[in-house]
Amino acid sequence: MRRVIFTLLHDRGRFQLSRNFRLQAIGDMRWLLGNYALPQVSRGLDELLVLDVTRGARDPMAFAAAVERIAGECFIPVTAGGGIASLDDARTLLRHGADKLLVNGAFHTDPTLCRSLADTFGRQCIVAGIDVRRAASGYDVLTAHGTTPVGVPLDDWVAHVQAHGAGELLFQSIDRDGTGMGLDLGIVDALAAQPDAPVILMGGVGQDAHIVEGLMHARVSAVATANLLNFIGDAFLDTRTALAAAGVSVARWDDGEVVALRDRFAEAA
């Protein structure tokens, strides 16, 4: 099944919009929960991704608390990451509602940690974030919020992160980030071979057609979007209808049963 993933960008208590990795604050947790009914939004999603995009000093416990608050609103798997620097950081996120971990910079600065994360929690728990920018000879891979080249070709970097425990690969286009101009499918086309891990593509989604186009690509398992302002209410349910009409294999469910099951779990808690 192909998947649709929604992304929330979090920076010291405030949620952000991003364009080419430049951030703009748009509201805090109260604003998010007051303006976007996450239980309703999540009914059309397969997964949620929550990223700590803080530049500078981070507050891991505050971010974990935000993940826990968001996870409590959504009846779907949650991936969380950003700045994971130890097994304890990872455990904290998993104990606060995360199902998987997004790891980016550590594959560059501390690949041994990445291997330990996979050995401890399972490869299926580790999503490698791979930020790329178009270059004259293909694509450059960067880390540290898109500021630091890793210094190896894209194919070699994919092999590196898989060798150190990545169970999924999230390719994000810096060029298309926040533009709404559509996904850069050239990223996956540039790979010499299909990776052994599922591929998620992100950066540039602005409408249903972009998600449909991405999930119809043979190498793409999931499409992620952080376009908070376009996809609200029942928009992702409409996206799933468009995907099914295009012949994309996506999970379908009875929405009423999902709501009833969510409410039953809430009452039990």
Side-chain angles (χ1 to χ4, degrees), residues 215-269:
L215 292 182
M216 291 185 72
H217 194 288
R219 288 185 168 183
V220 178
S221 298
V223 166
T225 176
N227 201 325
L228 188 64
L229 303 182
N230 283 12
F231 294 94
I232 59 176
D234 290 329
F236 283 115
L237 288 172
D238 296 338
T239 298
R240 302 193 84 80
T241 300
L243 287 166
V248 178
S249 179
V250 290
R252 302 297 299 274
W253 48 77
D254 184 304
D255 189 50
E257 291 185 4
V258 171
V259 173
L261 187 60
R262 183 196 67 208
D263 292 344
R264 195 177 313 143
F265 272 85
E267 290 173 3

Side-chain angles (χ1 to χ4, degrees), residues 198-223:
V199 168
I200 306 166
L201 193 57
M202 180 174 172
V205 170
Q207 54 185 274
D208 285 350
H210 297 151
I211 297 176
V212 173
E213 181 184 27
L215 292 182
M216 291 185 72
H217 194 288
R219 288 185 168 183
V220 178
S221 298
V223 166

Side-chain angles (χ1 to χ4, degrees), residues 29-37:
M29 182 69 74
R30 180 179 297 179
W31 172 88
L32 178 73
L33 299 180
N35 289 277
Y36 298 95

Side-chain angles (χ1 to χ4, degrees), residues 15-239:
F15 294 93
Q16 308 285 320
L17 289 179
S18 174
R19 185 181 178 95
N20 307 125
F21 281 30
R22 296 188 299 273
L23 300 176
Q24 176 186 349
I26 51 176
D28 60 10
M29 182 69 74
R30 180 179 297 179
W31 172 88
L32 178 73
L33 299 180
N35 289 277
Y36 298 95
L38 291 182
Q40 180 181 357
V41 171
S42 66
R43 279 156 41 202
L45 294 166
D46 296 283
E47 297 180 25
L48 185 69
L49 173 62
V50 187
L51 294 180
D52 183 356
V53 294
T54 303
R55 272 67 162 163
R58 300 176 188 266
D59 186 339
M61 290 308 301
F63 177 60
V67 170
E68 184 172 45
R69 185 70 179 88
I70 292 166
E73 295 285 323
C74 301
F75 200 64
I76 53 176
V78 174
T79 300
I84 294 174
S86 67
L87 287 174
D88 284 342
D89 286 346
R91 288 191 184 95
T92 296
L93 289 175
L94 293 171
R95 289 170 177 167
H96 283 76
D99 300 282
K100 294 189 287 187
L101 305 168
L102 189 287
V103 183
N104 186 318
F107 279 106
H108 186 232
T109 60
D110 192 359
T112 301
L113 170 63
C114 301
R115 181 72 265 174
S116 296
L117 290 170
D119 290 343
T120 303
F121 305 114
R123 179 181 292 267
Q124 84 293 335
C125 186
I126 310 303
V127 182
I130 303 176
D131 301 329
V132 299
R133 176 181 287 140
R134 278 189 177 268
S137 58
Y139 291 90
D140 291 335
V141 181
L142 299 99
T143 187
H145 309 293
T147 63
T148 304
V150 301
V152 301
L154 178 59
D155 280 312
D156 291 347
W157 189 250
V158 169
H160 169 79
V161 299
Q162 289 188 112
H164 288 87
E168 285 189 85
L169 309 174
L170 170 62
F171 294 94
Q172 181 164 9
S173 168
I174 298 172
D175 305 293
R176 297 289 182 93
D177 174 52
T179 65
M181 296 173 60
L183 296 161
D184 186 353
L185 295 172
I187 297 170
V188 288
D189 289 333
L191 300 174
Q194 176 73 16
D196 295 330
V199 168
I200 306 166
L201 193 57
M202 180 174 172
V205 170
Q207 54 185 274
D208 285 350
H210 297 151
I211 297 176
V212 173
E213 181 184 27
L215 292 182
M216 291 185 72
H217 194 288
R219 288 185 168 183
V220 178
S221 298
V223 166
T225 176
N227 201 325
L228 188 64
L229 303 182
N230 283 12
F231 294 94
I232 59 176
D234 290 329
F236 283 115
L237 288 172
D238 296 338
T239 298

